[in-house]
Amino acid sequence: MNAEHTAALREFDTTTARWGRLTMIAGLLFALAGPAYLVLFSGLDVDQARIWTALIAIAGTFGVLWVVEPLTYYPILGQASMYQAFMIGNISNKLLPSALIAQSAIGARPGTRRGELAAVMAIGGAAVVHLVSLLVFVGVLGTWLVSVVPADVIAVVQTFILPSVMGAVLVQAIVSTRNLRMTLVAGAVSALVVFVLVPAVPSLAFFGTAIAVLTTAVLAWFLRDRTAGPSGPAAGEPAAADDPAVPAGPGDPAAPVPPRTEDTARG
């Protein structure tokens, strides 16, 4: 990777970080505008004590996801896609599968530059498809479509669609990472949490995901292949073309394309 491409990627990181923060803050303000109006100007009998009580109740229920989800998604999506994903929503059942499929299609490993850029493009495409689908199937055909679909079919879809999507995401993630040791560690930890820890301590049921993710992350750090470099492949594994630590050759399809100049553009 030459100096021009390095500078371009550095500028990409700076730009996405700046606009990502601004759009997330703007989204937060818009989300709070409605409740703030109701509390301040609608005459509802809502005092600060009730607001703090509700906030504590929500934090106690969902607060663990505020930590677990960024830790879970970042290694696959990267910085720029994280801003996209948390602004759009439906990460686990729509955006994450899109990113994994795009990375697999071009042979990019999660955690690399190519993987991050593939995730950005995939999430943008997924958002466009989602909006068009909502416009057509909900906005235009919504009532009619629901009336003609049999109730049994709707029940089957509601029951099985989420497990099927999550199962596909799991398999795609395993294939994309290609790390047998960490896959076995994650599977063993998840099985212990689901079949041993939660039945023994039912009060930890809601925190099962957090416990599994954090435990797997800690074990992955201590059980990692120490013969490999910090960003390179494991010993005996061929270097991937999308690995930022490995420069691509001139005949490599993953090699960076030289930027267009005025002279070449005229030619």
Side-chain angles (χ1 to χ4, degrees):
M1 184 178 297
N2 58 35
E4 293 182 3
H5 288 86
T6 302
L9 288 173
R10 188 179 298 113
E11 178 64 21
F12 173 78
D13 289 338
T14 302
T15 303
T16 54
R18 178 174 64 250
W19 287 104
R21 285 192 291 264
L22 291 176
T23 53
M24 292 296 289
I25 292 172
L28 176 63
L29 294 177
F30 277 110
L32 294 177
Y37 174 82
L38 292 176
V39 170
L40 299 176
F41 303 108
S42 66
L44 293 177
D45 184 18
V46 180
D47 53 19
Q48 291 190 11
R50 294 182 180 179
I51 295 175
W52 285 107
T53 301
L55 177 61
I56 293 172
I58 293 173
T61 304
F62 299 103
V64 63
L65 299 179
W66 302 343
V67 177
V68 171
E69 287 191 342
L71 290 176
T72 305
Y73 301 142
Y74 181 81
I76 298 175
L77 299 181
Q79 173 185 287
S81 296
M82 289 289 284
Y83 289 117
Q84 291 178 295
F86 281 94
M87 178 62 72
I88 297 171
N90 291 334
I91 303 176
S92 62
N93 61 354
K94 181 181 70 176
L95 303 185
L96 189 63
S98 301
L100 286 170
I101 291 172
Q103 291 168 351
S104 177
I106 65 171
R109 291 184 302 174
T112 62
R113 277 299 190 179
R114 290 184 69 215
E116 180 179 355
L117 295 176
V120 170
M121 296 295 101
I123 288 177
V128 171
V129 172
H130 190 184
L131 291 175
V132 173
S133 300
L134 286 177
L135 176 63
V136 174
F137 295 108
V138 178
V140 178
L141 304 176
T143 304
W144 173 82
L145 193 62
V146 171
S147 66
V148 299
V149 176
D152 294 341
V153 174
I154 295 178
V156 170
V157 170
Q158 292 175 340
T159 303
F160 296 106
I161 190 64
L162 182 58
S164 64
V165 171
M166 298 306 296
V169 171
L170 176 61
V171 173
Q172 188 67 48
I174 292 173
V175 172
S176 299
T177 55
R178 299 192 297 272
N179 192 324
L180 179 60
R181 179 183 303 181
M182 292 304 103
T183 299
L184 294 176
V185 169
V189 171
S190 301
L192 288 173
V193 170
V194 172
F195 298 110
V196 177
L197 180 62
V198 171
V201 188
S203 59
L204 296 177
F206 187 78
F207 302 96
T209 301
I211 295 171
V213 170
L214 296 177
T215 304
T216 301
V218 172
L219 291 177
W221 172 259
F222 285 106
L223 299 177
R224 71 189 187 280
D225 187 356
R226 299 176 186 272
T227 62
S231 60
E237 180 184 349
D242 59 304
D243 196 324
V246 182
D252 193 330
V257 178
R260 289 171 57 89
T261 62
E262 292 297 327
D263 293 335
T264 58
R266 295 192 190 98

